[in-house]
Amino acid sequence: IQMTQSPSSLSASVGDRVTITCRASQSISTYLSWYQQKPGKAPKLLIYAASSLRSGVTSTFSGSGSGTDFALTISSLQPDDFATYYCLQTNDLPWTFGQGTKVEMK
Amino acid sequence: QVQLQQSGPGLVEPSQTLSLTCAISGDRVSSISAAWNWVRQSPSRGLEWLGRTYFASSKWHSHYAVSVESRITIIPDTSKNQFSLHLNSVTPEDTAVYFCARLQWGSKYLDFWGHGTSITVSS
């Protein structure tokens, strides 16, 4: 299953609303999770089951979608949110990641 | 709190075997609610899932990505509560950062990750 993530990068300011999308090449139900990665660090789980917020993750992050189309939204971008974000499908093997979206400061 | 501690050499010669270990604390490698995975990351391939091992129905199971399935083995070690990655016949294309990660069954997400090991394949 191919995961097409967009955009590949975006520039935004603190306080902006940001949306990143992921499209699966076939239905993956809600077996979609979102990760944040900072340079030199492992990815960190933010959202699982498409829309469930991991405990301890700020509620400015939210996820939506099912089937083939998914979105990660940051309602109000904070300084700590500048990072690269990835989606991952775990519906079918091999599990596949999106190409990533780098969120940069405008 | 689950922690995954990776260990292994950072430099591997071409045609040799890359071996990494992921030691688990806060969970058991034989847990029936989790699977244990290896993922790698390189500029050319992005994040790539390599394979998993897990215990279910009284036996061990392993599944691998097609891109490496002829060269990869993931082995659990219950006595040391860890699992290992062995990738043989490596080439410079296997140069990447390698991560171990736990997958929770149910909603199937990678909730805990190792810190990553940078592997260079070079003579």
Side-chain angles (χ1 to χ4, degrees):
Chain A
I1 296 175
Q2 301 223 2
M3 302 302 294
T4 303
Q5 190 174 334
S6 61
S8 56
S9 65
L10 64 91
S11 297
S13 301
V14 171
D16 284 354
R17 182 182 181 88
V18 168
T19 298
I20 299 166
T21 63
C22 235
R23 173 165 286 178
S25 58
Q26 64 189 69
S27 177
I28 57 170
S29 184
T30 56
Y31 290 108
L32 190 285
S33 46
W34 290 97
Y35 301 82
Q36 177 193 69
Q37 187 180 33
K38 295 184 178 179
K41 300 291 188 182
K44 172 187 161 186
L45 174 69
L46 300 173
I47 301 284
Y48 63 95
S51 61
S52 295
L53 187 68
R54 184 185 192 179
S55 176
V57 174
T58 174
S59 58
T60 55
F61 290 96
S62 63
S64 63
S66 66
T68 60
D69 292 304
F70 302 87
L72 172 71
T73 299
I74 310 172
S75 61
S76 176
L77 198 65
Q78 298 303 301
D80 192 47
D81 300 338
F82 293 99
T84 302
Y85 295 85
Y86 296 92
C87 61
L88 166 67
Q89 72 81 19
T90 51
N91 186 63
D92 282 339
L93 291 179
W95 298 332
T96 43
F97 292 87
Q99 307 96 308
T101 297
K102 187 173 185 179
V103 177
E104 299 175 299
M105 192 176 301
K106 185 182 285 183
Chain B
Q1 179 80 335
V2 175
Q3 292 189 318
L4 303 178
Q5 183 65 40
Q6 297 179 220
S7 60
L11 180 64
V12 184
E13 292 188 357
S15 80
Q16 298 302 301
T17 298
L18 180 165
S19 294
L20 294 172
T21 296
C22 185
I24 302 163
S25 57
D27 199 353
R28 307 297 301 176
V29 70
S30 55
S31 168
I32 61 170
S33 62
W36 304 95
N37 300 263
W38 287 97
V39 173
R40 69 182 177 183
Q41 184 173 32
S42 65
S44 59
R45 293 172 176 259
L47 283 164
E48 179 184 19
W49 174 82
L50 296 176
R52 69 182 185 188
T53 191
Y54 62 94
F55 190 71
S57 304
S58 303
K59 65 178 183 178
W60 289 97
H61 304 261
S62 296
H63 300 95
Y64 305 120
V66 170
S67 60
V68 295
E69 67 179 349
S70 64
R71 302 190 291 129
I72 189 174
T73 310
I74 297 176
I75 302 173
D77 184 341
T78 56
S79 66
K80 295 182 179 179
N81 201 34
Q82 63 187 32
F83 62 108
S84 59
L85 166 71
H86 302 278
L87 184 67
N88 60 42
S89 305
V90 297
T91 72
E93 288 208 344
D94 295 309
T95 294
V97 178
Y98 287 74
F99 297 97
C100 58
R102 184 183 83 164
L103 177 115
Q104 281 278 48
W105 292 121
S107 296
K108 298 195 289 183
Y109 48 88
L110 297 172
D111 57 352
F112 290 99
W113 294 65
H115 51 79
T117 301
S118 180
I119 300 291
T120 300
V121 178
S122 174
S123 54

